[in-house]
Amino acid sequence: MKVLVLGGGVIGVTTAYYLAMSGHEVTVVDRQAEPGLETSFANAGEVSPGYASPWAGPGVPIKAIKWLLMKHGPLVLRPKLDPAMWVWLIKMLRNCTSARYAVNKGRMIPLSEYSRDCLRALRAETAIGYDERSRGTLQLFRKQAHLDGAAGDIAVLKQYGVPYEVLDREGCVSAEPALAAVKHRIAGGLRLPQDETGDCHMFTRALAAQAVKLGVQFRFETTIEGLAADAAGISAVTTSAGVLRADAYVVALGSWSPRLLAPLGVSIPVYPIKGYSITVPIIDPDAAPVSTVMDESYKVAITRLGDRIRVGGTAEISGYSNKLRPTRRATLDHSLSDLFPRGGNLAEATFWSGLRPMTPDGPPVIGATRYANLHLNTGHGTLGWTMACGSARVLADLLSGRTPEIDTTELALTRYEDRFG
Ligand SMILES: Cc1cc2nc3c(=O)[nH]c(=O)nc-3n(C[C@H](O)[C@H](O)[C@H](O)COP(=O)(O)OP(=O)(O)OC[C@H]3O[C@@H](n4cnc5c(N)ncnc54)[C@H](O)[C@@H]3O)c2cc1C
């Protein structure tokens, strides 16, 4: 089949790769000059199935009030007269029960674990490099109460058979030796040894180059203006560079997916949740993290990417704005200088923001729509890098008439047909 993949972020590029591997003739369309220049550009770098959890969880509404009031709080709400913002928030709140959390997490973990395995296989197949490391991730608790509060997460890890280690202060230092200098700040940690790290943008670029070798064409600097439909399905895509046609179309437009789907009558509850990162050159490798340290107090992830440290965090609900706010940078600077004071040169850091394409329940939306030739691979929220390879592989399987290796029925858009949608 001729397939048009709309969007060239990590999701669009992995989709194109697996579709081309399945023998399809693939073209990727993106408004940017290169792959992965929007949300996939400078994320926190965690490939972390162990942390694959919905944000909507029991206790979150109360915690959210506390976070909104904290100086370096992980949540920011800038209310707007935007119905989509309020509808999304209400749907998210409806998913904050223990029962919904269990259902939603149960949909995210198998996809994330599968995705990490697909990434490993792809790495072996292509030998691409992206400052990757396979040294696990460490969730760091500064207070004993927070460590005790991880009991629920540990129970879920046990339930899904995800390996984990509960560490005391000394254990944290042996996993991340640079923490020795600040060990008085640490109560303990939860380590997920199977998690990986890597630069999502480097990966996306390198995989796009592999995809070109398989015959995939990229049409960059091409803005998609709309999709046209007739009785048979999608008939064309209107772009700034003319009309494009194919046998099948995959929407992988991240946070912008709902905007192009709405005129077709396809409603997906994806909303942009802004996050920020800084990328800091390493001064002293021995004083930098060896992998990801998740600073649980501020919900900030600190990741070693080659000779750089990437620090990412904040959930800012403020619509489609990429504005860089110095107060948010201060939180990232604070977390890094508090835990790895001699690791990186903050004066030379680059500051970035991106819009996570979030669903209110957590899992992405993958699969068919009411148009026979229109498929979705979007809404990966906080874990798009973690879930990219698995999501792309299952979508390529579905489009090629193969049964995916994991059950994908509950990742489809039809899951929103109940009252939680
Ligand atoms: C601060 C931060 C930290 C994060 N940390 C992690 C992490 O550690 N681990 C993890 O797994 N995930 C993380 N994420 C999430 C992850 O980055 C995203 O889920 C992922 O990048 C989404 O990929 P995507 O391809 O769907 O979207 P994008 O990368 O945004 O790709 C969508 C593409 O569509 C194109 N596009 C949109 N509209 C149009 C149009 N009209 N015409 C043409 N092209 C268009 C854009 O140019 C873009 O390239 C983080 C996100 C943020 C913001």
Side-chain angles (χ1 to χ4, degrees), residues 7-12 29-32 36-40 43-47 200 222-224 252-254 256 260 275-277 312-313 352 354-357 380-387:
V10 69
I11 302 299
V29 188
D30 199 287
R31 60 187 169 198
Q32 297 289 346
L37 287 188
E38 297 213 2
T39 312
S40 305
N43 67 30
E46 289 178 85
V47 177
C200 180
T222 303
T223 298
I224 299 154
L253 294 162
W256 293 267
L260 278 142
Y276 296 86
S277 73
W352 171 87
L355 302 176
R356 302 176 184 91
H380 293 76
T382 180
L383 287 162
W385 173 209
T386 299
M387 293 178 169

Side-chain angles (χ1 to χ4, degrees), residues 2 9 76 92 97 127 150 153 191 217 265 279 315 337 339 390-391 409:
K2 266 177 100 169
V76 179
M92 198 237 180
T97 63
D153 285 338
R191 185 165 177 269
Q217 292 190 22
T279 305
S337 51
L339 293 177
S391 303
T409 42

Side-chain angles (χ1 to χ4, degrees), residues 330-346:
T331 302
L332 305 176
D333 289 2
H334 171 74
S335 180
L336 179 66
S337 51
D338 209 38
L339 293 177
F340 298 97
R342 292 184 302 102
N345 182 357
L346 273 171

Side-chain angles (χ1 to χ4, degrees), residues 310-334:
R310 174 76 47 75
V311 187
T314 303
E316 183 177 303
I317 308 171
S318 58
Y320 282 85
S321 154
N322 272 106
K323 185 171 175 183
L324 289 169
R325 295 184 185 273
T327 47
R328 305 319 311 169
R329 179 178 167 158
T331 302
L332 305 176
D333 289 2
H334 171 74

Side-chain angles (χ1 to χ4, degrees), residues 84-153:
M85 176 189 276
W86 297 104
V87 168
W88 188 90
L89 278 168
I90 291 165
K91 287 179 178 172
M92 198 237 180
L93 287 174
R94 278 202 209 140
N95 277 283
C96 285
T97 63
S98 306
R100 292 309 302 171
Y101 181 80
V103 168
N104 296 332
K105 182 148 181 143
R107 291 169 177 169
M108 293 171 82
I109 289 194
L111 175 62
S112 304
E113 292 262 314
Y114 177 62
S115 195
R116 189 220 26 239
D117 296 345
C118 290
L119 173 64
R120 285 180 178 164
L122 188 150
R123 206 162 54 216
E125 213 167 88
T126 59
I128 60 174
Y130 48 93
D131 278 346
E132 73 280 6
R133 287 191 168 200
S134 304
R135 299 184 64 169
T137 52
L138 174 66
Q139 191 175 10
L140 197 76
F141 300 99
R142 291 163 184 257
K143 294 187 179 150
Q144 185 60 39
H146 293 168
L147 179 57
D148 298 342
D153 285 338

